[in-house]
């Protein structure tokens, strides 16, 4: 069974037992969180789509870690104008493990 969830403005296809890094959620390490924005559920040939959410469906996940992604380097330049700008950015994330999908 799989589910398509929405969190942090992004959509993820998740299966029970899977680990993934999502946008930062303020939760303690080891705590269980409930992701209730389920857009679709699938089991074999059967797929259920929500309008926009599937009623009564939730995904239970455990918080494994809080961290920061690798640095993304931003470089802007205007040729022949002697203009160069260097920037960097590190996005925060929460690593979760999917425990169960409840339909």
């Amino acid at each position: 069974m799989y589910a398509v969830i929405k969190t942090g403005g992004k959509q993820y296809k998740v299966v029970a037992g899977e680990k993934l890094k999502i946008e930062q959620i303020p939760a303690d390490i080891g705590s269980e969180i409930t992701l209730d924005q389920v857009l679709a559920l699938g089991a074999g040939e059967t797929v259920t789509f929500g309008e926009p959410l599937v009623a009564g469906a939730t995904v239970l996940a455990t918080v494994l870690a809080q961290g920061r992604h690798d640095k993304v380097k931003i470089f802007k330049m205007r040729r022949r104008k002697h203009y160069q700008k260097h920037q960097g950015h590190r996005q925060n994330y929460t690593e979760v493990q999917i425990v169960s999908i409840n339909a």
Side-chain angles (χ1 to χ4, degrees), residues 42-102:
E45 295 292 320
T46 311
V47 179
T48 306
F49 295 104
E51 298 172 2
L53 302 175
V54 178
T58 59
V59 173
L60 192 65
T62 304
V63 177
L64 298 178
Q66 302 277 3
R68 299 182 81 182
H69 285 289
D70 293 335
K71 182 174 273 198
V72 177
K73 294 185 179 176
I74 300 131
F75 177 69
K76 296 181 181 182
M77 186 178 111
R78 299 283 184 257
R79 63 182 188 164
R80 298 186 305 268
K81 305 299 180 194
H82 202 311
Y83 169 79
Q84 291 183 354
K85 185 176 183 180
H86 299 270
Q87 280 184 308
H89 176 73
R90 291 185 69 187
Q91 186 72 22
N92 296 326
Y93 69 83
T94 299
E95 186 174 9
V96 296
Q97 181 167 14
I98 306 300
V99 177
S100 64
I101 299 171
N102 307 315

Side-chain angles (χ1 to χ4, degrees), residues 6-73:
K6 179 178 146 187
T7 179
K10 297 175 179 63
Q11 296 177 8
Y12 302 94
K13 180 181 174 184
V14 296
V15 183
E18 182 181 25
K19 292 181 186 178
L20 70 144
K21 294 179 180 178
I22 59 176
E23 292 295 317
Q24 187 177 30
I25 295 175
D28 295 330
I29 296 173
S31 65
E32 290 195 346
I33 57 173
T34 303
L35 304 169
D36 55 354
Q37 292 191 336
V38 179
L39 303 174
L41 288 172
E45 295 292 320
T46 311
V47 179
T48 306
F49 295 104
E51 298 172 2
L53 302 175
V54 178
T58 59
V59 173
L60 192 65
T62 304
V63 177
L64 298 178
Q66 302 277 3
R68 299 182 81 182
H69 285 289
D70 293 335
K71 182 174 273 198
V72 177
K73 294 185 179 176

